[in-house]
Amino acid sequence: MTTAITKVVFPVAGLGTRFLPATKAIPKEMLPVADQPLIQYAVQEAQQAGITEFIFVTNPTNRAILESHFGANDALESMLLERGKTAELKIVAETTLPEGQVKFCYQDEPLGLGHAVWCAREFVSDGSFAVVLPDDLIMAKTGCLKQMVDVYARFGGNVVAVEEVPRDLTSRYGILDVDQDDGEIVSAKGLVEKPAPEDAPSTLSIIGRYILDGRVFGHLDKKVTGAGGEIQLTDAISATIGEVPFHGLRFDGTRFDCGSMNGFVEANVAFGLERSHHESDLRSYLKSHL
Ligand code: G1P
């Protein structure tokens, strides 16, 4: 028996130092890809998966910006209404989340992803919940998290999104020690955070989508540090293997690593082409530019 996944945690307390100076005054998750900030894609993907409670692990400064992005803006809405800008009005209204659906908590020290999720424990520890890292932007017909919710409904336990990476990049990811693999769904007997290529048990990496059983907090509570001296979410998931089912899903879609400059620019091209009202202009510009 599984329960519905209704809560998502967004670990968004990072300083975004790789994107300075863009992130000097603006949180990284507010950087736009085409016409939307990264965090909005993440919220939409969660909504498509049936989620109704959005928990942001952040800091007071970023909270203010997130609150104004996802809160109502009466002045803007009346101005758009007055000017007859109905399409824009609809966009603004769709961005607004009902107040009761939005929660904030703070991560005061950068102690790792596991620690960030642990900071949200009071909101989620009573059941299963999702974690979405907005840096990993996924273009997919059916949202990646919805695909994962369907796998969770079959197996329960912990589910992560996975994709193959070149072996020389394993040290950037959580890597699965594969047990069974049907080409789409994988079960693993272990997980290793950021192994060196020669130590990696496979090349199947976790990307930033998780459905987690509340039991991960049993491990996160211990505040054990792992790779890079940080409290790793991967280690907490690994510690529950045997206690709860664990599956990786090779999701259907394309993932853009918006934590890197190249991935961010690629995402802007791909989403720009998809979301542009003048796609052919953009396409021919890109062709002529190249
Ligand atoms: C985190 C996780 C890692 C995962 C990655 C996906 O690493 O710790 O297991 O593979 O996200 O993007 P980070 O990118 O925060 O270093």
Side-chain angles (χ1 to χ4, degrees), residues 160 162 176-188 204 246-250:
V160 297
V162 294
L176 271 63
D177 188 357
V178 176
D179 187 17
Q180 285 177 359
D181 185 351
D182 74 2
E184 187 197 10
I185 297 171
V186 179
S187 69
L204 205 52
F246 172 72
H247 291 92
L249 170 68
R250 283 197 179 83

Side-chain angles (χ1 to χ4, degrees), residues 211-261:
I211 292 177
L212 299 177
D213 185 281
R215 263 170 277 198
V216 292
F217 290 106
H219 186 81
L220 292 174
D221 280 340
K222 296 180 194 152
K223 306 250 179 87
V224 179
T225 54
E230 296 189 338
I231 300 169
Q232 297 293 354
L233 187 57
T234 306
D235 295 339
I237 300 170
S238 185
T240 65
I241 292 177
E243 258 178 80
V244 295
F246 172 72
H247 291 92
L249 170 68
R250 283 197 179 83
F251 61 96
D252 193 7
T254 307
R255 169 240 184 191
F256 297 89
D257 175 10
C258 290
S260 77
M261 177 81 81

Side-chain angles (χ1 to χ4, degrees), residues 31-89:
L31 295 179
V33 167
D35 56 346
Q36 292 200 151
L38 274 171
I39 189 69
Q40 197 171 322
Y41 290 98
V43 165
Q44 285 168 348
E45 187 183 322
Q47 284 173 321
Q48 202 190 105
I51 282 171
T52 51
E53 201 173 320
F54 306 88
I55 301 140
F56 298 89
V57 182
T58 183
N59 57 55
T61 317
N62 291 3
R63 172 185 179 153
I65 296 170
L66 288 164
E67 261 176 335
S68 53
H69 183 76
F70 289 112
N73 185 335
D74 297 340
L76 177 61
E77 288 188 38
S78 10
M79 193 267 280
L80 292 171
L81 190 65
E82 236 168 68
R83 298 189 182 177
K85 292 193 175 290
T86 43
E88 291 82 352
L89 191 59

Side-chain angles (χ1 to χ4, degrees), residues 113 133 136 172-174 193-194 206-208 210 232 234 255:
L113 180 59
L133 311 186
D136 279 329
R172 292 190 193 168
Y173 299 96
E193 180 67 14
K194 300 192 170 69
I206 304 179
I207 62 112
Y210 307 79
Q232 297 293 354
T234 306
R255 169 240 184 191

Side-chain angles (χ1 to χ4, degrees), residues 20-180:
L20 283 168
T23 49
K24 192 175 169 199
I26 296 169
K28 183 175 57 162
E29 60 279 6
M30 286 303 295
L31 295 179
V33 167
D35 56 346
Q36 292 200 151
L38 274 171
I39 189 69
Q40 197 171 322
Y41 290 98
V43 165
Q44 285 168 348
E45 187 183 322
Q47 284 173 321
Q48 202 190 105
I51 282 171
T52 51
E53 201 173 320
F54 306 88
I55 301 140
F56 298 89
V57 182
T58 183
N59 57 55
T61 317
N62 291 3
R63 172 185 179 153
I65 296 170
L66 288 164
E67 261 176 335
S68 53
H69 183 76
F70 289 112
N73 185 335
D74 297 340
L76 177 61
E77 288 188 38
S78 10
M79 193 267 280
L80 292 171
L81 190 65
E82 236 168 68
R83 298 189 182 177
K85 292 193 175 290
T86 43
E88 291 82 352
L89 191 59
K90 189 164 167 268
I91 291 170
V92 171
E94 279 170 1
T95 314
T96 310
L97 294 174
E99 236 171 77
Q101 293 192 357
V102 183
K103 306 274 157 58
F104 291 94
C105 53
Y106 299 141
Q107 185 187 23
D108 299 326
E109 291 172 279
L111 299 180
L113 180 59
H115 177 252
V117 170
W118 179 82
C119 291
R121 67 200 176 284
E122 62 177 298
F123 295 115
V124 292
S125 59
D126 53 339
S128 295
F129 60 99
V131 176
V132 170
L133 311 186
D135 271 6
D136 279 329
L137 178 56
I138 297 174
M139 183 179 270
K141 272 202 198 89
T142 301
C144 179
L145 199 59
K146 165 75 177 112
Q147 298 174 39
M148 293 168 68
V149 162
D150 293 345
V151 173
Y152 170 79
R154 283 172 62 192
F155 301 103
N158 294 323
V159 180
V160 297
V162 294
E163 72 178 11
E164 293 287 349
V165 291
R167 186 161 277 274
D168 59 337
L169 297 185
T170 56
S171 61
R172 292 190 193 168
Y173 299 96
I175 300 290
L176 271 63
D177 188 357
V178 176
D179 187 17
Q180 285 177 359

